[in-house]
Amino acid sequence: MDEFMLNNLIVAISAVVPIFVLISIGAVIKWRRWLNDEELAHMNRMVFRVFFCCMMFHSLYTADLSTSIRPRLMLFSVCGVLAVFALAMFLVPKIEPENRRRGVIVQALFRSNFVLMGVPIVANIFGDANISVATAMIAVIIPMYNILGVVALESFRGGNFKLMPVVIEVFKNPMILGAIAGALCLAIGIKIPAPVLKPIGQISAATTPVALLILGASFKLGATHAHRRQLIGCVLGRLVVVPGILLSIAIAMGFRGIELVTMIGTFCTPCAVVSYAMAQQLGGDAELAGSCVVFTSAFACLTIFCWIFLFKTLGFF
């Protein structure tokens, strides 16, 4: 293997291995029963409400908005997610007869685990100092994921979708609140004292490792024989088909560097963990949703590595 290929291989490995190691440590924690399900639920709630809020606040407050806000990147990502959602809403009912599974499959295809796995990919390749481009995307992507997820599940449950309650819940999301607070403080020029900003930064730095540990400790392998066909379709669609099409279009449109890697984090990462909870709450097939999270997360370490190695070798970042 020549030096060029070796360097590209090292970049790809460096992006994926830290994520895999943290998830694996979390799996060991579960295997050793150092945390039970109730304790994991409490920790997950704490990370969601406190850690992610601090991460969003710190990332945007310390960011250079002139370089972190990329309107063209955001517009493409929004249009890409909407296109996948619309196409899935049209095609899935034609091939899946059961309503409880339709919404789950749609959500598995368009909703990625961008926060837990996408942002770390950017950080592992470009360094923590450059993740503001990725974290700024959270303020756009996460509200859209939440709204579209409810639309998909409610549509096939037969419920009446109401926009305002969903919008209100989105703006109660700690990540969104942290992003709004950080952006406002930066825009208005509010000076956060160093003794206050430092611990917020320390919590922000701990967010991804802790969240990935909890993700690994939360995995549950259930029976898959009843929905094997649907599961295979979701895994291939989420990890191969969707990123293959959208990233090809992005490259053709000239996206390169950190913007392309941010899209890898958006479109190549596995199903969002929250999709399982939403399926439970809104009458979807929770067993299929849980299997999608587990199997896409397991195979994503391989597929993300392949996408990064491919695009790095082709010189796109």
Side-chain angles (χ1 to χ4, degrees):
M1 184 180 294
D2 60 28
E3 185 177 352
F4 174 73
M5 294 292 288
L6 180 62
N7 288 337
N8 294 340
L9 184 64
I10 291 172
V11 170
I13 291 173
S14 300
V16 175
V17 168
I19 297 172
F20 177 77
V21 170
L22 286 167
I23 292 175
S24 299
I25 293 173
V28 171
I29 290 172
K30 183 178 183 63
W31 172 61
R32 297 292 295 173
R33 298 181 181 177
W34 290 330
L35 292 172
N36 59 37
D37 290 343
E38 184 178 355
E39 291 167 337
L40 281 170
H42 287 309
M43 288 187 66
N44 201 30
R45 194 174 300 115
M46 176 190 69
V47 170
F48 178 68
R49 294 180 178 176
V50 179
F51 281 52
F52 278 126
C53 183
C54 290
M55 182 185 76
M56 290 300 300
F57 177 88
H58 189 267
S59 295
L60 287 180
Y61 180 76
T62 58
D64 180 358
L65 293 182
S66 63
T67 59
S68 60
I69 304 296
R70 308 284 178 96
R72 187 166 171 263
L73 168 64
M74 291 180 173
L75 180 61
F76 182 92
S77 299
V78 167
C79 291
V81 172
L82 287 174
V84 174
F85 171 78
L87 192 59
M89 288 290 284
F90 175 73
L91 293 177
V92 169
K94 296 183 179 301
I95 59 177
E96 173 54 51
E98 190 174 332
N99 264 344
R100 291 183 68 247
R101 290 177 174 173
R102 287 173 172 175
V104 170
I105 294 171
V106 170
Q107 191 172 212
L109 292 174
F110 81 82
R111 187 170 194 165
S112 70
N113 207 349
F114 176 65
V115 176
L116 287 187
M117 296 188 74
V119 174
I121 287 170
V122 178
N124 291 341
I125 294 177
F126 292 98
D128 290 336
N130 295 303
I131 65 168
S132 58
V133 173
T135 52
M137 284 282 292
I138 294 176
V140 177
I141 293 293
I142 298 305
M144 184 170 59
Y145 278 167
N146 288 335
I147 293 172
L148 295 181
V150 173
V151 171
L153 292 167
E154 285 284 10
S155 296
F156 296 113
R157 186 172 71 160
N160 295 319
F161 171 70
K162 296 180 180 179
L163 179 62
M164 282 312 297
V166 177
V167 172
I168 291 171
E169 286 301 314
V170 166
F171 280 97
K172 289 166 63 177
N173 186 307
M175 286 186 286
I176 304 304
L177 291 175
I180 293 172
L184 283 177
C185 288
L186 180 61
I188 297 173
I190 297 176
K191 184 70 174 177
I192 306 296
V196 176
L197 188 60
K198 182 177 180 179
I200 293 175
Q202 290 171 329
I203 294 174
S204 173
T207 300
T208 297
V210 174
L212 289 172
L213 287 173
I214 294 173
L215 175 62
S218 300
F219 278 169
K220 294 181 180 179
L221 288 173
T224 61
H225 61 274
H227 49 247
R228 187 172 299 155
R229 178 176 61 86
Q230 292 85 352
L231 180 59
I232 291 172
C234 289
V235 171
L236 290 176
R238 174 69 257 156
L239 301 180
V240 179
V241 178
V242 168
I245 294 172
L246 291 177
L247 292 177
S248 296
I249 296 172
I251 289 170
M253 293 179 63
F255 286 99
R256 299 290 187 273
I258 194 170
E259 291 187 344
L260 181 62
V261 175
T262 300
M263 287 186 193
I264 293 175
T266 304
F267 299 122
C268 298
T269 46
C271 300
V273 177
V274 73
S275 61
Y276 170 68
M278 286 189 66
Q280 281 184 315
Q281 295 167 15
L282 297 178
D285 188 333
E287 187 175 304
L288 173 59
S291 295
C292 287
V293 172
V294 170
F295 281 90
T296 56
S297 297
F299 285 109
C301 290
L302 173 62
T303 56
I304 291 172
F305 167 82
C306 292
W307 288 119
I308 292 173
F309 182 68
L310 173 64
F311 294 133
K312 179 64 177 174
T313 301
L314 293 175
F316 292 132
F317 67 87

